[in-house]
Amino acid sequence: RIKIGERRISVINMHLQSVALKDGEIHRSIESEEWMDKSLSVGKKLKKGFQIRARQLDELLKAAEEEGDYVLICGDLNDTPYSNSYLRLRDRYQNAFEEQGKGFGFTFNGEIPFLRIDQQFYGKGLIANRFDTRRNFPSSDHNGTEACYFFKE
């Protein structure tokens, strides 16, 4: 929690369950003679990731609701916009990229580079007035996100 004057902002940093696909796993599934077995393996990993993220999100939302209107939920959702996890958060909180971002806001620098999986959501007591995706982290497979918030009056 960060106290600013008489107000307190709660920052919740998340890193939800990954699908745990290894580099090249999707590509190797298509090219392999055992493509059906490899595809089933990928499918099982996707399903397991979805299920675990759903449970983690239940806990995250419960904790965030206890913090009130001055809450930031930031981090690696490990899910794309329009996924179940994303939409459940979006039902209750604003998304800083959607409100103030520009372009596509891709945050993942891995084998599938066109993903926005790192997010910043915020409560009703705040307003986002700037959002940037930072591509200056060469040692990470994620781009950073940066936003500026004001209190609603």
Side-chain angles (χ1 to χ4, degrees):
R1 294 182 179 120
I2 303 168
K3 189 170 181 180
I4 302 172
E6 296 301 315
R7 295 182 177 143
R8 182 194 67 181
I9 297 177
S10 296
V11 179
I12 299 174
N13 187 19
M14 66 174 165
H15 186 182
L16 300 187
Q17 179 68 37
S18 171
V19 177
L21 292 175
K22 298 194 179 11
D23 284 344
E25 192 167 358
I26 293 173
H27 184 64
R28 284 193 303 268
S29 296
I30 296 167
E31 293 180 347
S32 170
E33 290 179 17
E34 300 122 10
W35 67 270
M36 181 62 112
D37 290 337
K38 292 190 183 280
S39 297
L40 287 173
S41 173
V42 168
K44 287 178 185 177
K45 286 182 178 185
L46 289 169
K47 179 180 177 183
K48 182 179 178 183
F50 294 143
Q51 291 171 332
I52 293 172
R53 278 194 302 282
R55 287 192 304 271
Q56 291 172 330
L57 197 62
D58 289 341
E59 294 175 29
L60 179 99
L61 288 170
K62 182 180 176 190
E65 286 173 10
E66 293 172 1
E67 298 300 325
D69 289 340
Y70 302 124
V71 63
L72 296 174
I73 303 169
C74 311
D76 186 353
L77 189 62
N78 265 317
D79 233 336
T80 62
Y82 310 110
S83 65
N84 178 56
S85 300
Y86 185 92
L87 293 175
R88 287 178 62 198
L89 277 163
R90 184 64 175 81
D91 282 347
R92 297 180 186 172
Y93 300 97
Q94 295 292 321
N95 182 277
F97 173 78
E98 289 180 14
E99 298 300 320
Q100 295 294 325
K102 294 178 180 72
F104 295 107
F106 300 137
T107 63
F108 186 63
N109 264 339
E111 189 172 317
I112 307 170
F114 305 111
L115 298 175
R116 181 167 55 92
I117 61 175
D118 300 278
Q119 306 293 338
Q120 290 193 30
F121 290 92
Y122 59 96
K124 296 174 186 171
L126 301 171
I127 298 171
N129 84 325
R130 182 176 58 78
F131 182 93
D132 293 306
T133 303
R134 300 292 190 174
R135 291 173 176 79
N136 56 347
F137 298 106
S139 61
S140 176
D141 61 352
H142 291 258
N143 294 320
T145 62
E146 177 180 272
C148 184
Y149 297 92
F150 289 100
F151 291 108
K152 271 189 184 175
E153 295 304 323

